[in-house]
């Protein structure tokens, strides 16, 4: 069963954008494995609470993610 897991900052996507991710990921697997993959493709969009993740040992927050480089 094809599986895709997207982790995104909580509250940053609309239901429509989540649907776009699910549809696009499913179509990608169908493009690769053929139509038989559609019925078994699982796409999970998980919202991570603010401060619940990090990169390089630094905790990321939505405010940090929205900062423009150099600010």
């Amino acid at each position: 069963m094809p599986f895709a897991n997207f982790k995104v900052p909580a509250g940053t996507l609309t239901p429509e954008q989540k649907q776009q991710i699910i549809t696009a990921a499913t179509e990608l697997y169908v493009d690769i494995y053929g139509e038989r993959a559609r019925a078994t493709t699982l796409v999970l969009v998980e919202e991570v609470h603010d401060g619940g993740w990090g990169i390089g040992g630094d905790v990321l927050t939505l405010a940090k993610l929205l900062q423009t480089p150099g600010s």
Side-chain angles (χ1 to χ4, degrees):
M1 162 176 33
F3 174 72
N5 186 343
F6 294 88
K7 294 183 186 296
V8 300
T12 60
L13 295 178
T14 65
E16 292 80 16
Q17 289 169 318
K18 291 176 190 176
Q19 180 64 55
Q20 285 179 310
I21 290 171
I22 292 166
T23 299
T26 301
E27 291 303 322
L28 176 63
Y29 280 122
V30 169
D31 287 347
I32 293 168
Y33 294 110
E35 191 60 38
R36 70 184 189 279
R38 186 179 306 279
T40 60
T41 296
L42 173 62
V43 180
L44 180 60
V45 179
E46 289 186 89
E47 294 191 73
V48 178
H49 293 286
D50 200 35
W53 56 350
I55 295 177
D58 294 323
V59 174
L60 291 178
T61 63
L62 186 55
K64 285 183 182 179
L65 291 171
L66 294 177
Q67 285 179 347
T68 55
S71 62

